[in-house]
Amino acid sequence: METSEPGRRIFLVFWTCLVQLISVWCSCPMCYCRKLALSCKEVGTLLQLTIKCDKCSYEGLWNSQPFFGKIAAGNILLSAGILFSGASATKVLRVLSHMGVALMSIRSFFRHQKKILFKAVHQLWSEQQLWNLSHLQAERESIICGGDGRADTPGHSAKYGTYTMMELRKNIVIDVQLVQSNEVEGSNHMEKEGLQRSLNFLQNTWNLDIETVITDRHAGIKKWLREHQPHILHLFDIWHVAKSIKKKLLALSKTGGCQALQGWVSSIINHLYWSVVSTPPGLTQLIEDKWKSVVEHIQNRHTGFAGQFQSCAHQPLEGRERQKAWLPPHTKVSTEVEKVLCSKRLLPDIQKLSPDHQTCSVEAFHSLVINFAPKMHHFSFEGMECRVMLAALHWNENGHRAQHTTKDGRKTYSLHYPKRKKGGHVVRKVLEDASFGYVASLLTIVEALCKGEEDDGEIPQPDPGRIPEALAASYEHPNKEDAVRARVTRFNAA
Ligand SMILES: [Zn+2]
Ligand SMILES: [Zn+2]
C-alpha cells in the first residue's frame, strides 16, 4: 500500500486513550494547573476539544485534524479514499460505524463528491489526456484505435453506456465517453453514439489522424464508419468473430447428423486465426481464400482449390494423420458447415479481421471499470463518469506492468479454474503490484481545491442528529448528581 509522508499519517485514537494522554501529560499553558475541563464536539471524523483551565480560566481549542481550507482533512480524505478506490460509500461508512468510529453522514460524502472530488478527477483526467494526445499529435504517426462499448447493466435496459477508445500501440486509454440512454433512441444506440463522440473529439478537437479503428462487428458502427468515415480503415477483432462462429458451429454440431463436426470446431477456429495472422497486410482476398480452404480440408481435400490459396499449407498427410474423422462430402453436415463458414454476411468481415492489433485490452479495461463502478450499484451520471475516468487513470498507470519475478529471478504464474473451463485450468502471469500514483496526484488537487474555496459554506454541515450538542466530557470527576440528572432528562425527552 502507499505510505503517506510522516506528517500525513492518520491513526485511530480511542477516546479513552486521548483522555489518558491529557490527564497524565497536559497542564494549563498559562498557570501550569493540571485541573483541565474538556468539552468536545464532533464534526464528522473531526474531534474538537475545548480545554478550560479551572484555575485561571484559560480556554483553548484543539482540533484532532488539520484543515484543508475550511474542511476537516479527515472528512474530505475519507470521501476521497472511498471514491478514488472505487468503493461503495455506504459500505465503507458502515464498516467504520460498526467499529464505532465517529463519522460524517453519507450526505457529506455526496456533497464532497459534488463540490470537490468530481472536479479533481476531471482535472487530473483532462491533464493526462492532454499529455497523451499532445504526444500522439507530436509523433505525427497515424493512430490505431481499439474501441468498444460497455453497458452498465446486461441486456437492453442499461442506463449508461461507456465507450472507450484505446491507442493500441501504446496500450493507453485516450478517451472515454459516457452516454445516457435517454440521450439517444434507446440503449441499443449508445455504442454508436459513444464512438461518434469520441471520434469527433479526437479528430476535430485534436486534429488526430485516426488510421485504423478496430471494433467488434456492431452493425450500426460498421455502417456509420463506412458512410461517414471512409478514410478510416475499419477492422474487426478476431476474437469476437471467432466467438460467434464457434457458437454457431457448436449449435450445429448438436443437431441430427452433424455430431461429427464436434471434433473439428477447435481446428476451424484455430484456422481462422492462422488465416488472418499468416497473411501480409493488404492481401484481404488471400485471407478469405485461406479461410474458405478449411471447408475443403475437413472434407479431406487438400489441393486444387479455386482462388489465391490453392492448396493446404500443411505437409502431405501421412499414417495416422490420414485417419481423421473427415466429413463426407455432399452430406448434411458438410453442406451446413459450409453455409456457416462461407455465409455472405461473414466473408466480407473475414477480409477485415485485424491481424496484429485486437481489442482484448479494451475488454480488459472494461473488466477494470467494474472494480470502480460495480454493476450492482447505481451511480449518478457524474459519479459514473468519474469512476470510468478513475479506471482509465488506473489503467494508464498500470497497463504496462511487468511480470512479477521471485527473488531467484523466476517469473511468477498463478493457476485459475474459471467456470467456463468446466474443471479445466488456465495459467496466468502474476504481475507486479499495481501503483497508485494517480491517487497521490488527485489528493494534491483535492487539497488545493479545498483551500481555494471561497466562503460558500464549505465547512461540513454536520448532521445535527449525529452531533451531540455538547458532549460533556471531563477527565475530572464530574459532579455525579448533575450527570445523573442530565441523563434522566435526556431519556425523558426521547
Ligand atoms: Zn491556568
Ligand atoms: Zn488440408
Side-chain angles (χ1 to χ4, degrees):
M1 278 322 292
E2 70 262 47
T3 45
S4 43
E5 51 191 286
R8 270 291 179 78
R9 225 101 178 94
I10 298 170
F11 298 92
L12 280 173
V13 179
F14 282 53
W15 171 245
T16 47
C17 300
L18 186 65
V19 168
Q20 190 196 26
L21 175 77
I22 296 170
S23 64
V24 174
W25 299 95
C26 296
S27 56
C28 169
M30 304 303 287
C31 72
Y32 306 107
C33 164
R34 297 175 65 91
K35 278 179 81 179
L36 300 175
L38 301 177
S39 60
C40 67
K41 188 181 168 205
E42 292 174 22
V43 184
T45 60
L46 167 74
L47 172 66
Q48 289 188 312
L49 278 185
T50 307
I51 306 174
K52 278 185 193 161
C53 172
D54 239 19
K55 203 166 155 192
C56 74
S57 67
Y58 166 85
E59 190 177 320
L61 180 70
W62 176 84
N63 290 309
S64 68
Q65 300 175 6
F67 281 76
F68 291 171
K70 292 184 171 182
I71 304 183
N75 292 340
I76 188 76
L77 286 173
L78 176 56
S79 298
I82 291 170
L83 179 67
F84 299 164
S85 60
S88 143
T90 325
K91 264 283 164 62
V92 173
L93 293 178
R94 191 172 302 146
V95 168
L96 293 169
S97 155
H98 284 348
M99 286 173 67
V101 175
L103 281 182
M104 66 211 190
S105 65
I106 188 119
R107 291 206 314 271
S108 301
F109 167 79
F110 287 121
R111 199 175 49 247
H112 290 155
Q113 277 201 142
K114 207 165 175 55
K115 291 202 164 179
I116 304 287
L117 305 178
F118 288 164
K119 288 181 194 163
V121 175
H122 272 271
Q123 190 180 322
L124 186 65
W125 171 244
S126 312
E127 284 170 14
Q128 197 191 84
Q129 195 177 31
L130 183 85
W131 171 266
N132 285 331
L133 294 177
S134 314
H135 272 255
L136 285 172
Q137 210 177 34
E139 285 169 11
R140 294 181 177 280
E141 276 194 49
S142 47
I143 290 163
I144 298 175
C145 281
D148 198 17
R150 164 198 184 266
D152 66 334
T153 48
H156 300 287
S157 59
K159 186 173 179 199
Y160 304 120
T162 311
Y163 202 86
T164 304
M165 275 293 198
M166 200 175 268
E167 213 294 323
L168 295 176
R169 274 187 295 215
K170 294 187 186 293
N171 190 29
I172 49 171
V173 176
I174 53 173
D175 189 38
V176 285
Q177 296 284 340
L178 188 66
V179 182
Q180 194 164 294
S181 59
N182 62 1
E183 292 181 276
V184 291
E185 304 152 43
S187 49
N188 283 335
H189 295 80
M190 292 194 294
E191 187 157 347
K192 192 181 86 182
E193 177 69 22
L195 172 93
Q196 280 172 258
R197 286 187 197 176
S198 204
L199 282 178
N200 179 42
F201 171 72
L202 296 172
Q203 293 174 321
N204 300 333
T205 310
W206 278 90
N207 214 8
L208 291 174
D209 174 21
I210 314 281
E211 178 198 82
T212 309
V213 170
I214 301 163
T215 67
D216 57 16
R217 291 196 297 156
H218 188 285
I221 284 181
K222 225 158 89 172
K223 183 164 180 284
W224 186 82
L225 279 173
R226 190 176 63 231
E227 289 171 359
H228 295 90
Q229 301 270 354
H231 52 281
I232 289 183
L233 177 63
H234 183 206
L235 298 179
F236 302 121
D237 177 76
I238 302 184
W239 182 80
H240 280 95
V241 176
K243 192 172 105 176
S244 97
I245 295 174
K246 189 174 176 182
K247 208 170 138 191
K248 285 184 185 139
L249 292 178
L250 286 176
L252 179 61
S253 73
K254 291 192 178 103
T255 61
C258 298
Q259 283 83 351
L261 173 61
Q262 232 151 39
W264 284 105
V265 175
S266 309
S267 318
I268 294 173
I269 298 304
N270 289 342
H271 181 79
L272 176 71
Y273 282 91
W274 175 83
S275 304
V276 177
V277 175
S278 65
T279 307
L283 303 180
T284 52
Q285 186 60 47
L286 182 57
I287 299 180
E288 183 182 323
D289 291 347
K290 279 183 179 174
W291 166 243
K292 286 194 293 194
S293 77
V294 77
V295 177
E296 308 282 343
H297 174 85
I298 59 181
Q299 297 182 36
N300 201 15
R301 288 192 303 269
H302 309 281
T303 57
F305 314 147
Q308 298 180 11
F309 187 70
Q310 290 165 355
S311 52
C312 286
H314 57 74
Q315 300 291 316
L317 300 175
E318 283 171 7
R320 282 186 58 197
E321 289 179 328
R322 306 170 72 155
Q323 308 304 316
K324 287 191 184 171
W326 307 109
L327 303 184
H330 313 298
T331 53
K332 182 188 169 197
V333 59
S334 38
T335 325
E336 291 299 317
V337 171
E338 184 168 357
K339 272 190 205 162
V340 172
L341 301 186
C342 301
S343 89
K344 279 208 177 94
R345 261 197 78 220
L346 178 64
L347 288 182
D349 290 353
I350 295 285
Q351 293 204 8
K352 299 177 94 184
L353 291 178
S354 169
D356 37 11
H357 296 285
Q358 309 300 335
T359 59
C360 49
S361 33
V362 187
E363 316 257 333
F365 171 68
H366 285 166
S367 313
L368 177 70
V369 171
I370 294 175
N371 286 297
F372 284 86
K375 292 199 179 194
M376 60 191 278
H377 291 295
H378 173 80
F379 300 103
S380 66
F381 186 86
E382 264 189 308
M384 188 69 194
E385 190 180 48
C386 279
R387 283 167 186 261
V388 175
M389 286 172 179
L390 284 163
L393 288 165
H394 185 91
W395 177 276
N396 288 352
E397 181 169 331
N398 290 287
H400 302 87
R401 269 183 289 158
Q403 189 172 357
H404 181 265
T405 48
T406 57
K407 276 179 192 155
D408 49 351
R410 278 178 302 142
K411 288 185 156 57
T412 321
Y413 294 89
S414 62
L415 277 181
H416 298 265
Y417 303 89
K419 209 174 145 211
R420 66 184 157 82
K421 285 270 174 179
K422 298 186 174 102
H425 66 271
V426 289
V427 180
R428 280 197 208 132
K429 289 178 183 175
V430 175
L431 299 181
E432 295 283 0
D433 286 344
S435 66
F436 297 90
Y438 65 96
V439 174
S441 310
L442 283 168
L443 291 178
T444 309
I445 299 173
V446 166
E447 187 173 347
L449 283 172
C450 291
K451 288 180 174 167
E453 284 290 334
E454 298 301 326
D455 289 7
D456 64 11
E458 265 313 304
I459 309 168
Q461 304 296 310
D463 181 349
R466 295 184 52 78
I467 309 296
E469 282 284 62
L471 174 64
S474 167
Y475 66 91
E476 296 279 330
H477 292 295
N479 180 314
K480 195 175 172 186
E481 274 173 48
D482 288 352
V484 172
R485 202 175 305 122
R487 184 188 153 93
V488 172
T489 320
R490 261 205 320 279
F491 271 77
N492 288 346

